Amino acid sequence: MAWDSRARRVMMIYLPLACFVLILLFPFYWMAITSFKPNAELLNYKEHNPFWISSPTLAHIKHLLFNTAYPTWLKTTMFVAIGSTFLSLFASTLAAYAIERLRFRGSPYVGLGIYLAYLVPPSILFIPLATVIVQFGLFDSPMALILVYPTFLVPFCTWLLIGYFKSIPYELEECALVDGATRLQILRRITLPLAVPGLISAGIFSFTLSWNEFIYALAFIQSGANKTVPVAILTELVTGDVYQWGALMAGSLLGSLPVALFYSLFVDYYVSSLTGAVKE
Amino acid sequence: MSVTTLPSRGMALRQPGWIARLLDYKPFLIVMCLAPAIGLLTVFLTYPLGLGVWLAFTDTTIGQRGIFIGLENFQYLLKDPLWWNAVFYSVFYTGVATIGKFALGFWLALLLNNHFPLKSLLRAIVLLPWIVPTVLSALAFWWIYDPQFSIISYLLVDVLHIRSTNIDFLGTPWPARFSLIAANIWRGIPFVAISLLAGLQTISPSLYEAAMLDGASAWQRFRYITFPMMMPILAIVMTFSIIFTFTDFQLVYAITRGGPVNSTHLLATLAFQRGIAGGELGEGAAIAVSMIPFLVFATLFSYFGLARRKWQQGEAND
């Protein structure tokens, strides 16, 4: 062996890993560092090292919070994300329970049908959906987003929860049934409490996906106050030819934080459910 | 089956009301449980999908009900160089980005499958590009690709002295096309890596031990154990990835909006430009519908192309 195994390990594993981490994280670093740079430093690479901040400032964030409608956008996004998450969890828990536990003829096909809905991409649907939204009188209303987001949240959550319900021993439900509990009681008192980890990961998925959603929010919302953060930053903060990079990056950073925080709290659920979903 | 023979344990069990009894009637309960999910999907997914296909055969504009015009929209598209351009870039974008994502993602998955300290922290970090809203990270890329203040240009020109001028990333067609693909690969790596990592962990270590005893090299172990065992998962993850890359919208809309000179339009951004921004709902719908054959083909190709290997190797189909 030409190499001592330690050196080999460094070259084959740690060095490439370090490169991956560096490249995957760099845009966030760049986003963060731009948010706190005064404009003079931001546009002058000759006198200031662009990779560092000599005199950090909160001016961009202050501008964002007090001179723009950013807080309103955050509130709208939060409202939409929480609303659609609860609606999707409600619908998909019941659906998954029916498919996995109430077992009827054709239940696998219903499950497959719901799952296939996930493969229909929003870019094909947004034009006809826009006319549907107008027909319902929901154009420019956050309610439209709450009702539309479940179309891509329900298939995923249902799929995830079917897997979860499968892992709960059926005997527990049978015992309760013998003891005279109604099926709804069984769902509420036995199955749901045991499925809490699954519900949490489905909830995290739904929340992050709704927070991310862009094309529907862009197509169905017109007034500034009802826009979600991703859409508003792009359509309201980008004005004219002079980009306020500091404020834009501060907006991106603040808009990413809720999802990143929320996700970091539950990262173990997240990774394990993702891997679990793939193993299926 | 009478409800009067309740267990007489002294517990105050109430006589269930008619609603409770109705809900305990299985067919009714099944319908009630499925109603919210199926209802939402029918109204906001199945119906619009049908409506979209119908709109594609009409001349509907915003505020005006259209009439059926047969294949006119599609005939028009076939003569439209912008549509052909969007088809070309959508296929190119999907092809190059998928290869990049899977090559790098598979490598990262293999790296993460080793044992080292702070493993779970690293996995969490690696997932970040996938968690953060695409548009927000796209903005960061827009800033990284800035013609004057790009940090990449700065590195190449002022630090490494490889080039003498800044790169005009987004102002010229081919650099813009590749810049978008790079951003898409960056965003796609985590999902591919974590999904494939899950697959790697299902491979039994005994297979590797046996191969080691037989004197297989690291490459042989990868070629004859890891790769074939990963085929089913690769097929699924790649199908997903192709569908969502081909129909991507946000990244292009946020960074170039289809420019410069329409060179980076994907079918989705072109559909948005014509259908929503331009008000030509019928034509926009036709562009969106024209994605369907490509999607069906790509799905069949990736799914069956990769999954076929599975039964060739004599594994049970599941």
Side-chain angles (χ1 to χ4, degrees):
Chain A
M1 222 186 275
W3 276 348
D4 129 60
S5 76
R6 202 187 169 83
R8 190 183 160 85
R9 207 172 149 79
V10 168
M11 285 302 290
M12 297 295 289
I13 298 174
Y14 294 117
L15 197 69
L17 260 183
C19 291
F20 268 112
V21 170
L22 198 72
I23 290 171
L24 290 178
L25 289 188
F26 181 76
F28 299 117
Y29 174 74
W30 199 230
M31 200 191 257
I33 209 166
T34 308
S35 315
F36 297 105
K37 261 188 201 173
N39 278 326
E41 269 183 64
L42 200 60
L43 304 178
N44 186 346
Y45 290 174
K46 302 286 177 222
E47 287 163 41
H48 302 278
N49 177 1
F51 292 103
W52 198 241
I53 324 171
S54 347
S55 44
T57 169
L58 288 175
H60 301 308
I61 289 171
K62 215 170 120 190
H63 169 76
L64 197 69
L65 292 182
F66 297 106
N67 299 343
T68 69
Y70 199 81
T72 319
W73 301 331
L74 271 181
K75 252 182 275 169
T76 311
T77 320
M78 195 64 92
F79 172 66
V80 167
I82 291 175
S84 49
T85 299
F86 274 100
L87 185 58
S88 315
L89 280 184
F90 173 73
S92 41
T93 308
L94 287 179
Y97 182 72
I99 292 165
E100 175 55 30
R101 280 303 201 242
L102 297 177
R103 298 254 172 215
F104 50 96
R105 247 187 332 145
S107 59
Y109 298 103
V110 176
L112 185 71
I114 292 181
Y115 173 64
L116 281 181
Y118 189 68
L119 296 179
V120 180
S123 351
I124 291 182
L125 290 177
F126 70 95
I127 291 175
L129 253 182
T131 67
V132 173
I133 293 298
V134 172
Q135 274 167 20
F136 285 179
L138 288 172
F139 189 74
D140 200 23
S141 148
M143 269 314 285
L145 302 182
I146 294 181
L147 286 172
V148 164
Y149 287 178
T151 54
F152 56 86
L153 300 178
V154 163
F156 201 89
C157 294
T158 308
W159 187 41
L160 206 107
L161 288 170
I162 286 178
Y164 235 92
F165 286 148
K166 247 183 219 163
S167 69
I168 299 169
Y170 192 57
E171 289 73 26
L172 286 173
E173 291 187 23
E174 274 176 338
C175 289
L177 209 58
V178 169
D179 282 350
T182 66
R183 287 190 186 269
L184 274 190
Q185 282 175 326
I186 295 173
L187 179 64
R188 208 179 66 218
R189 303 246 174 95
I190 295 172
T191 318
L192 279 188
L194 287 171
V196 163
L199 288 171
I200 291 177
S201 47
I204 301 168
F205 270 107
S206 306
F207 184 86
T208 43
L209 285 177
S210 342
W211 193 278
N212 281 348
E213 208 288 325
F214 182 72
I215 190 166
Y216 291 151
L218 179 71
F220 307 156
I221 303 289
Q222 207 162 30
S223 56
N226 287 340
K227 283 181 177 163
T228 59
V229 170
V231 176
I233 287 190
L234 205 62
T235 54
E236 308 268 314
L237 275 191
V238 177
T239 43
D241 287 336
V242 183
Y243 305 124
Q244 301 174 320
W245 285 114
L248 275 174
M249 288 300 108
S252 301
L253 190 70
L254 284 188
S256 312
L257 277 182
V259 199
L261 277 180
F262 194 58
Y263 151 82
S264 63
L265 289 177
F266 299 101
V267 68
D268 289 333
Y269 280 128
Y270 208 102
V271 176
S272 68
S273 63
L274 195 68
T275 49
V278 171
K279 273 179 199 162
E280 276 293 306
Chain B
M1 66 169 228
S2 97
V3 250
T4 46
T5 54
L6 286 167
S8 50
R9 245 181 283 157
M11 248 173 80
L13 270 179
R14 276 181 299 122
Q15 185 88 358
W18 65 271
I19 300 177
R21 264 179 292 154
L22 187 61
L23 282 174
D24 216 24
Y25 175 59
K26 210 170 148 188
F28 181 76
L29 186 61
I30 289 168
V31 171
M32 287 308 287
C33 282
L34 288 175
I38 305 263
L40 277 169
L41 290 176
T42 310
V43 177
F44 295 109
L45 192 120
T46 316
Y47 168 62
L49 193 62
L51 185 65
V53 175
W54 162 251
L55 281 177
F57 293 98
T58 68
D59 61 356
T60 312
T61 54
I62 282 181
Q64 192 203 319
R65 197 169 275 280
I67 50 158
F68 184 79
I69 53 166
L71 288 171
E72 236 173 79
N73 282 327
F74 294 98
Q75 283 166 342
Y76 173 76
L77 287 181
L78 286 177
K79 280 182 271 172
D80 179 6
L82 279 185
W83 180 79
W84 279 107
N85 186 63
V87 169
F88 162 73
Y89 187 57
S90 299
V91 172
F92 184 75
Y93 181 82
T94 310
V96 178
T98 303
I99 293 170
K101 264 184 263 194
F102 277 80
L104 294 171
F106 205 163
W107 188 15
L108 182 57
L110 290 169
L111 292 172
L112 287 174
N113 202 28
N114 288 297
H115 291 284
F116 47 82
L118 298 176
K119 207 154 119 177
S120 59
L121 179 74
L122 200 65
R123 282 181 198 170
I125 289 175
V126 156
L127 265 176
L128 261 185
W130 187 60
I131 303 305
V132 165
T134 312
V135 169
L136 304 183
S137 53
L139 278 170
F141 271 96
W142 194 18
W143 172 220
I144 287 174
Y145 292 146
D146 188 87
Q148 247 186 304
F149 300 103
S150 165
I151 192 67
I152 302 177
S153 290
Y154 170 81
L155 277 180
L156 295 179
V157 177
D158 294 313
V159 180
L160 299 171
H161 303 288
I162 297 174
R163 286 176 60 99
S164 53
T165 52
N166 280 3
I167 301 175
D168 188 9
F169 287 100
L170 301 176
T172 36
W174 279 104
R177 290 180 180 132
F178 281 109
S179 302
L180 289 175
I181 290 173
N184 185 286
I185 292 177
W186 175 85
R187 193 191 127 72
I189 287 176
F191 178 69
V192 174
I194 293 292
S195 313
L196 295 187
L197 178 64
L200 286 174
Q201 288 173 344
T202 62
I203 301 176
S204 154
S206 60
L207 286 173
Y208 292 109
E209 284 159 20
M212 296 266 256
L213 285 177
D214 289 343
S217 68
W219 168 249
Q220 283 173 322
R221 271 175 279 147
F222 175 79
R223 175 67 191 80
Y224 295 105
I225 300 175
T226 312
F227 200 63
M229 293 292 280
M230 292 293 284
M231 272 302 171
I233 285 176
L234 266 175
I236 293 172
V237 180
M238 198 176 272
T239 308
F240 267 76
S241 167
I242 288 179
I243 290 177
F244 290 110
T245 313
F246 191 81
T247 59
D248 194 12
F249 174 84
Q250 333 192 10
L251 205 69
V252 172
Y253 189 83
I255 300 181
T256 65
R257 303 219 177 174
V261 284
N262 295 313
S263 58
T264 57
H265 260 308
L266 294 171
L267 286 167
T269 56
L270 191 68
F272 184 87
Q273 199 191 42
R274 298 269 171 88
I276 303 284
E280 298 284 340
L281 287 175
E283 200 190 320
I287 298 174
V289 165
S290 72
M291 284 191 264
I292 296 176
F294 292 99
L295 285 180
V296 171
F297 176 75
T299 308
L300 294 178
F301 177 77
S302 65
Y303 192 76
F304 290 102
L306 289 169
R308 201 186 58 219
R309 298 269 188 104
K310 198 165 66 159
W311 55 259
Q312 278 179 342
Q313 272 138 13
E315 274 178 51
N317 281 310
D318 48 21

